Amino acid sequence: MRLSLDLLDIMHASPVIPVIAIEDIDHAVPLAKALLAGGIRVLEITLRTSHGMAAIRAIAEQVPRAIVGVGTLTYGAQFSAARDAGAVFGVSPGLTAALIAAAKSSGLPLLPGVMTPSEVLAAREAGFHQLKLFPAVPAGGIGMLNAIAGPLPDVTFCPTGGISQETAAKFLACKNVTCVGGSWLTPRKAIQAGDWAHITTLAAAASALRPMSGE
């Protein structure tokens, strides 16, 4: 059964959304189960490898409690393919007219990437109020998020790029941050070794994150 959630509900479902690149399709389902066992339900499966779509389909079919999204959307044609594979939301590194049109026609909720205040304004004018600050740390990190919060209080963010277990809570303390994205939950060596217990431990630590006092 296909999940039907709006983007803000999805962002509230987990303090951390792991950014996942599947290099071996056989790893997709056990990885998803390991993350879910640690309390991380929202998964962004990127299209950075050739196994992305197949991994989305496998997880959607075999791990029904997971909220599966598709990442690294850069072409309009990817939206309908990802939706048909079982993705219930999409994430892009930026926002173009073609991506806006594809998001609307496919019905796939999109979390688009922005880096500057002008890009935030453009995304908001296009109807997007939940955005991904990307790459978060090079874009100004916590300082940028706090600066944007004043003039643009109706926009919420999932900062992604350069965030770690050690810094995630400080990002979560920003009043305009709902969740963060990161790849530290899925270290390549642990996946290749099939060390799912280690990934569950990382996921449990991430799911327990609470905001720290801001800087």
Side-chain angles (χ1 to χ4, degrees):
M1 179 178 175
R2 184 182 175 84
L3 292 169
S4 179
L5 297 170
D6 67 30
L7 192 54
L8 198 55
D9 287 338
I10 291 169
M11 293 170 71
H12 278 298
S14 174
V16 180
I17 299 177
V19 180
I20 303 167
I22 297 293
E23 297 180 353
D24 183 336
I25 190 59
D26 291 335
H27 293 155
V29 168
L31 175 60
K33 289 180 176 179
L35 290 165
L36 194 62
I40 296 296
R41 188 181 176 201
V42 183
L43 314 178
E44 177 190 338
I45 308 300
T46 72
L47 299 182
R48 298 177 188 177
T49 73
S50 61
H51 299 297
M53 289 293 185
I56 290 167
R57 187 178 301 279
I59 294 169
E61 291 177 351
Q62 299 180 51
V63 193
R65 288 189 57 232
I67 300 173
V68 188
V70 55
T72 325
L73 288 168
T74 58
Y75 295 100
Q78 295 170 323
F79 281 73
S80 58
R83 179 203 60 205
D84 293 345
V88 297
F89 71 99
V91 185
S92 65
L95 189 61
T96 66
L99 295 181
I100 292 169
K104 290 180 179 178
S105 65
S106 69
L108 196 67
L110 176 64
L111 182 69
V114 295
M115 190 175 182
T116 67
S118 292
E119 291 177 358
V120 175
L121 286 170
R124 189 180 66 170
E125 287 178 8
F128 298 92
H129 288 77
Q130 289 82 45
L131 305 173
K132 171 175 123 170
L133 182 68
F134 178 80
V137 172
I142 292 166
M144 173 66 84
L145 289 160
N146 288 336
I148 291 174
L152 298 166
D154 58 337
V155 178
T156 57
F157 292 91
C158 173
T160 305
I163 300 173
S164 66
Q165 172 75 25
E166 292 70 33
T167 61
K170 286 192 174 183
F171 276 90
L172 289 166
C174 298
K175 63 182 179 181
N176 55 353
V177 171
T178 305
C179 59
V180 302
S183 58
W184 79 87
L185 298 185
T186 55
R188 186 178 183 185
K189 287 184 178 179
I191 294 173
Q192 290 177 333
D195 190 353
W196 311 124
H198 178 57
I199 288 172
T200 294
T201 298
L202 294 174
S207 66
L209 278 171
R210 296 294 181 268
M212 297 172 61
S213 58
E215 293 184 334

